[in-house]
Amino acid sequence: IVTDAGTLKAPIYEMVKNLKLDNQFIGGYPMSGREEIGYMHSNHIFLDGAYYIINTTAAVPRDAVNAYTSLITDMGATPLELDYLQHDYVVAAIGQIPQLVTAALAELVQKHADDDGIMKIIATGGFKNIMRIASSPETWESTFMLNAKKLSPPR
């Protein structure tokens, strides 16, 4: 079995189909994360209590899916099976669009903050958390470009 942990699934599933690996691929995505990138920012409780989305095709043997699901559970996460297109839609709505909003808010505050820094001084914990999340746009850039259709308002 081959797996991944990437944010978007549609481009991966297109490649899987082209390579005729439909019966060997189980997509995965942990619904947890941090704004920092790289192994040095990982920790042993990263998956504790997090949902871990699993996508597969009907061609993958059910025993392989069950084994993968057991692995996810053993790592402390809660497996949730979704169709890969539904996965991309849901992740856009609850992860990518909020990231765009926080990045816009961070830029607004940065451009309009007074020299006395009063905005930063009185910012509450929730606002500071939003700014922390918006602090690493490079983490999201490729995801936004690949999932642009899901991020665009309907016409």
Side-chain angles (χ1 to χ4, degrees):
I1 294 296
V2 178
T3 191
D4 79 313
T7 304
L8 296 178
K9 299 301 176 199
I12 293 169
Y13 271 89
E14 286 176 27
M15 187 177 300
V16 165
K17 287 176 186 175
N18 288 341
L19 294 171
K20 299 187 185 338
L21 296 173
D22 304 51
N23 63 342
Q24 300 173 42
F25 183 76
I26 301 174
Y29 185 64
M31 294 302 295
S32 63
R34 299 179 62 183
E35 69 279 8
E36 291 108 357
I37 300 171
Y39 176 77
M40 70 290 277
H41 298 290
S42 63
N43 65 55
H44 68 283
I45 60 168
F46 184 73
L47 295 175
D48 281 359
Y51 281 100
Y52 199 106
I53 301 174
I54 297 171
N55 340 98
T56 188
T57 66
V60 176
R62 194 69 216 171
D63 61 330
V65 176
N66 292 340
Y68 187 77
T69 299
S70 291
L71 173 66
I72 298 305
T73 302
D74 289 347
M75 290 190 294
T78 302
L80 175 65
E81 285 191 53
L82 295 178
D83 172 80
Y84 71 93
L85 294 174
Q86 182 183 17
H87 167 273
D88 286 0
Y89 177 77
V90 169
V91 170
I94 66 167
Q96 296 160 7
I97 291 173
Q99 178 64 24
L100 285 173
V101 171
T102 60
L105 181 59
E107 185 174 338
L108 175 80
V109 169
Q110 186 175 4
K111 283 185 177 180
H112 296 286
D114 294 332
D115 291 337
D116 60 8
I118 197 71
M119 284 188 190
K120 291 181 181 177
I121 292 169
I122 65 170
T124 64
F127 186 83
K128 289 177 180 175
N129 195 39
I130 288 171
M131 294 301 102
R132 176 187 59 79
I133 292 167
S135 69
S136 55
E138 66 279 356
T139 304
W140 294 87
E141 184 177 0
S142 62
T143 302
F144 292 148
M145 302 311 278
L146 289 169
N147 211 20
K149 290 180 183 176
K150 297 275 193 280
L151 296 167
S152 301
R155 295 179 188 205

